[in-house]
Amino acid sequence: AGIKQLESGLRDLGLSCVESAGNFILVDFGRDAMPLYQDFLREGIILRPVGVYDLPTFLRVSIGLPEQNLRFLAACKKVLQK
């Protein structure tokens, strides 16, 4: 359910992600993800950069509880508006 919640919320924000059956998703932000990673940290959201896997525009997002997923999506909207 958490994956579907995040996929739907990310789609609403115009973002895409890699289909996943695990406990995380890879979100493609379509630009260098490292500045976004720093912005998320300032919002109290810890993500994992995956540039070392030759995915410089992606961040790894762990699936959380519904309220945690909503907090990430709200932070995502805020970070993308910068």
Side-chain angles (χ1 to χ4, degrees):
I3 289 176
K4 290 181 195 248
Q5 179 187 21
L6 287 177
E7 287 175 338
S8 175
L10 291 166
R11 200 170 27 254
D12 290 346
L13 293 171
L15 298 171
S16 63
C17 57
V18 176
E19 189 173 322
S20 178
N23 66 343
F24 66 91
I25 57 173
L26 294 175
V27 181
D28 186 358
F29 287 91
R31 57 183 157 163
D32 182 15
M34 286 309 292
L36 297 172
Y37 168 74
Q38 296 297 326
D39 289 340
F40 278 109
L41 285 177
R42 283 188 277 282
E43 294 296 322
I45 305 290
I46 301 171
L47 305 177
R48 180 171 294 167
V50 289
V52 296
Y53 298 108
D54 201 26
L55 298 168
T57 63
F58 287 77
L59 291 172
R60 177 183 158 155
V61 179
S62 296
I63 307 303
L65 298 172
E67 58 272 12
Q68 293 168 324
N69 294 338
L70 289 174
R71 183 167 180 247
F72 162 70
L73 291 170
C76 198
K77 185 176 182 178
K78 183 176 180 181
V79 164
L80 291 174
Q81 289 176 345
K82 288 184 176 186

